[in-house]
Amino acid sequence: MLPSIDALKTHAIFLDLDGTLVEIAEHPDAVRVHPTTLRLLEALNDESSGALAVISGRELSAIDRLLHPLKLPAAGVHGLERRDASGVLHTAPSAQAPPISFVFEKILGDETGVVIERKPGGVAVHYRLRPDLERRCCQIVKEIVGQRKDLRLIHGKMVFEILQKGADKGSVINAFLGEPPFQGRVPIFAGDDVTDEAGFAAVNSHGGISIKVGGQETDARFRAKNVQELEAWLRDLIENARGEQTP
Ligand SMILES: O=P(O)(O)OC[C@H]1O[C@H](O[C@H]2O[C@H](CO)[C@@H](O)[C@H](O)[C@H]2O)[C@H](O)[C@@H](O)[C@@H]1O
């Protein structure tokens, strides 16, 4: 059961993208954000007076492409990039490290159907189209991460992500909460995947509202069954907030 909230102006809203605002698709490039979802985000942004940020594993440029024409405060590559509410870009120094994606291209090659997504400070190895190659991908990523102290490994939804250390979704949520217009507000964070757990921990430590989308194990305090249930709840937030303002 999701909590009811009347005043959005006292809350800071953080939303994950894939699997939270949009359904998971077969290929990262196949994802489209429906215009009604864009309108929902616009309304949340208005009703919270700009205290809305997207916290994603995708790089910032990909987030902007998906949410066009909206350009919201956002964190990309699981926290390695962050654009604050005044539009200033903060990049973890490690995000500039040389890419390691060539290793995968060399070993796996595009023809296998394994999708290699390069991002600043990271590479995602998607095996959704070739689940039979999970073990092989796992072997390769573990070997690389085992040799490099500067890297960490995330096993997300049909994806292995190798990332430079230096940030996570929790640290960027904390960074937003230290700045206006997020500062002093009760944080809300909704996400669906393992990488969102760091965000849930940060939000829980502020006494906020952490929401897991889907059925997997989590430290989030609340749960939405799926993308639709979360979206319906977000719509209610807007209606309640607007209702509050009506004399
Ligand atoms: O933090 P998020 O916004 O949830 O991003 C996590 C990763 O999402 C994308 O991959 C996932 O979604 C794809 C499209 O639905 C799907 O094909 C893939 O299997 C999923 O792992 C994105 O491509 C990654 O860069 C993000 O890190």
Side-chain angles (χ1 to χ4, degrees), residues 2-59:
L2 291 166
S4 103
I5 297 170
D6 290 332
L8 271 185
K9 301 258 187 283
T10 53
H11 288 76
I13 311 159
F14 302 102
L15 297 172
D16 169 56
L17 189 46
D18 293 272
T20 298
L21 283 174
V22 285
E23 299 286 359
I24 293 290
E26 283 294 286
H27 191 290
D29 295 345
V31 169
R32 297 287 177 274
V33 181
H34 198 273
T36 54
T37 308
L38 292 178
R39 284 197 290 274
L40 170 66
L41 291 175
E42 202 174 3
L44 283 171
N45 188 45
D46 289 348
E47 292 305 323
S48 67
S49 303
L52 167 68
V54 173
I55 312 289
S56 176
R58 289 189 185 247
E59 62 185 300

Side-chain angles (χ1 to χ4, degrees), residues 16-20 23-28 31 55-59 78 117 119 124 126 128 156-159 161 169 192-193 195-196:
D16 169 56
L17 189 46
D18 293 272
T20 298
E23 299 286 359
I24 293 290
E26 283 294 286
H27 191 290
V31 169
I55 312 289
S56 176
R58 289 189 185 247
E59 62 185 300
H78 304 279
E117 182 186 357
K119 324 186 226 190
H126 295 272
R128 185 171 292 276
K157 290 189 167 169
M158 310 288 271
V159 65
E161 298 211 43
K169 290 194 175 189
D192 71 308
D193 208 351
T195 178
D196 299 312

Side-chain angles (χ1 to χ4, degrees), residues 14 55-56 75 77-80 82 152 166-178 187 189 194-206:
F14 302 102
I55 312 289
S56 176
V77 200
H78 304 279
L80 288 173
R82 187 173 76 89
R152 68 184 178 112
D168 60 34
K169 290 194 175 189
S171 62
V172 283
I173 286 177
N174 282 326
F176 277 119
L177 287 171
F189 175 51
V194 281
T195 178
D196 299 312
E197 292 297 324
F200 297 147
V203 163
N204 292 347
S205 76
H206 289 278

Side-chain angles (χ1 to χ4, degrees), residues 28-215:
D29 295 345
V31 169
R32 297 287 177 274
V33 181
H34 198 273
T36 54
T37 308
L38 292 178
R39 284 197 290 274
L40 170 66
L41 291 175
E42 202 174 3
L44 283 171
N45 188 45
D46 289 348
E47 292 305 323
S48 67
S49 303
L52 167 68
V54 173
I55 312 289
S56 176
R58 289 189 185 247
E59 62 185 300
L60 283 179
S61 57
I63 299 171
D64 289 345
R65 229 180 2 260
L66 282 171
L67 300 185
H68 181 81
L70 297 179
K71 200 167 179 184
L72 297 169
V77 200
H78 304 279
L80 288 173
E81 307 177 303
R82 187 173 76 89
R83 181 174 59 231
D84 68 25
S86 50
V88 175
L89 195 65
H90 306 258
T91 312
S94 53
Q96 276 122 32
I100 44 166
S101 55
F102 72 92
V103 179
F104 302 99
E105 274 145 17
K106 218 162 144 188
I107 301 173
L108 293 161
D110 272 351
E111 72 284 358
T112 62
V114 173
V115 177
I116 311 293
E117 182 186 357
R118 301 169 212 205
K119 324 186 226 190
V123 57
V125 181
H126 295 272
Y127 57 90
R128 185 171 292 276
L129 297 170
R130 287 295 304 272
D132 55 307
L133 288 176
E134 175 178 359
R135 195 190 276 257
R136 171 96 182 101
C137 293
C138 185
Q139 244 174 12
I140 298 169
V141 293
K142 281 197 167 156
E143 210 169 294
I144 292 171
V145 174
Q147 291 163 7
R148 298 261 304 261
K149 286 205 168 65
D150 57 326
L151 299 177
R152 68 184 178 112
L153 179 63
I154 296 176
H155 189 184
K157 290 189 167 169
M158 310 288 271
V159 65
F160 291 106
E161 298 211 43
I162 296 185
L163 297 167
Q164 292 286 336
K165 288 181 181 168
D168 60 34
K169 290 194 175 189
S171 62
V172 283
I173 286 177
N174 282 326
F176 277 119
L177 287 171
E179 301 164 350
F182 302 91
Q183 206 166 28
R185 295 184 180 222
V186 179
I188 301 171
F189 175 51
D192 71 308
D193 208 351
V194 281
T195 178
D196 299 312
E197 292 297 324
F200 297 147
V203 163
N204 292 347
S205 76
H206 289 278
I209 296 167
S210 48
I211 304 170
K212 169 81 174 180
V213 180

